[in-house]
Amino acid sequence: MSHVVRKYFADFEKEEQWLNDMSAKGLALVEYSWARYVFEESAPGEYIYRLELLEEDPKKAKSAEYLQFMEETGAERVPAGKRPSGKTVYVNPRWVIFRKKAAEGAFTIYSDTDSKIKHYQRIYRLWISLAVMELIIGVFNISLMFVNNPTALNRINLIMGLLLIVLALFFISLSMPIRRKITKLQNDKLVRE
Amino acid sequence: MSGSNEYGALTEGVYYILLSLFTPMHGYGIMQNVKLLSNGRVELGAGTLYGALGTLVERGWIEPLAGGQDSRKKEYRITESGRSALLSEMTRLDELLSNGRKLIGGEPE
């Protein structure tokens, strides 16, 4: 029997923790798409879950090669679902959820400080680039106010612009804890590998 | 994993990867071998290992085995310059250890 949970996470490590807590309770994630989690009953703790932001779109050669390597090590990618034809589909371009049977041993993706920093930096750049994009479009929308005559359209530009700026602030708020994690790891690196 | 610069220390992951590749191995084999060599202490993350393999190939310290293209799993082995990088790291580690022992003892009983 499958259970569907709708939930949103801003912090991927909390999301990962939640998936592992669910797994410990005997609910293993089998599908994920846009804040919709589908679980199936399993032996408690059967799977370990890990999240990763890939360097590139999974369809690109570099990521495809990496995904194959992950498979060789016993990890599988959690899909978005299955088409009626039976074809497995994936959403969410660069964020990937992996799972691996706990019986096959520990499952970590990044085990040393350097590679952890690189992964966090990837995430940090994603949030910052989204923030900058929203900010530019937002400011552009508001600036239209001064070009156009005061009309109803004008007000829409202002509202859109403000919404986009709020969205930009949201992405900045996501990036800040990541920045702190990077700084902490970089400080650790001064002392040990 | 940046591994090392020209004269710096190798990460322990890189050290054990190089040591493992005196026998040709694929990725998962390396992970298991490193765990075995270190008595379970060093468990390489798959992403970390993947990054390290890429960097080491770029540096010419290891190479993918010919014929690995058609088989699904790519195997790697250490090269001559990988060997000398490993040897100079061992010399460096020797120096650290012998200085430590000379100054504060700690020679295993």
Side-chain angles (χ1 to χ4, degrees), chain A residues 52 62 65-66 68-74 100 104-112 114-116 118 189 193, chain B residues 1-3 10-13 26-28 31 35 43-50 53 55 71-74 76:
Chain A
E52 184 179 10
K62 198 175 174 189
E65 203 187 299
Y66 176 66
Q68 194 197 318
F69 182 87
M70 289 299 282
E71 251 172 59
E72 285 169 18
T73 66
K100 188 175 169 180
E104 290 179 28
F107 179 34
T108 48
I109 296 179
Y110 293 113
S111 53
D112 75 352
D114 271 332
S115 54
K116 277 179 202 159
K118 270 192 193 158
K189 252 194 77 183
E193 180 187 302
Chain B
M1 190 188 295
S2 68
L10 304 184
T11 64
E12 72 183 7
H26 54 73
Y28 190 53
M31 282 165 76
K35 193 177 169 187
E43 295 204 39
L44 282 177
T48 297
L49 172 63
Y50 185 82
L53 290 175
T55 309
S71 70
R72 267 176 60 82
K73 296 184 180 182
K74 211 188 252 179
Y76 298 88

Side-chain angles (χ1 to χ4, degrees), chain A residues 87-156:
Chain A
K87 189 175 179 280
T88 310
V89 281
Y90 298 94
V91 285
N92 239 16
R94 285 167 66 206
W95 280 107
V96 178
I97 304 177
F98 289 109
R99 71 173 189 178
K100 188 175 169 180
K101 289 218 156 136
E104 290 179 28
F107 179 34
T108 48
I109 296 179
Y110 293 113
S111 53
D112 75 352
T113 313
D114 271 332
S115 54
K116 277 179 202 159
I117 290 175
K118 270 192 193 158
H119 184 225
Y120 281 133
Q121 279 171 337
R122 217 139 71 207
I123 298 165
Y124 181 73
R125 277 196 296 270
L126 173 70
W127 298 146
I128 291 296
S129 59
L130 286 171
V132 168
M133 204 169 75
E134 308 304 347
L135 207 61
I136 290 172
I137 305 172
V139 169
F140 177 72
N141 261 282
I142 292 170
S143 69
L144 281 179
M145 272 181 61
F146 301 100
V147 181
N148 290 346
N149 294 319
T151 57
L153 189 71
N154 199 327
R155 203 164 297 145
I156 293 170

Side-chain angles (χ1 to χ4, degrees), chain A residues 15 19 29 31-32 37 49-52 76-79 95-99:
Chain A
E15 182 176 0
L19 291 175
L29 182 77
E31 282 173 19
Y32 170 80
Y37 298 82
Y49 288 85
R50 295 284 175 240
L51 268 64
E52 184 179 10
E76 59 176 320
R77 191 175 160 199
V78 174
W95 280 107
V96 178
I97 304 177
F98 289 109
R99 71 173 189 178

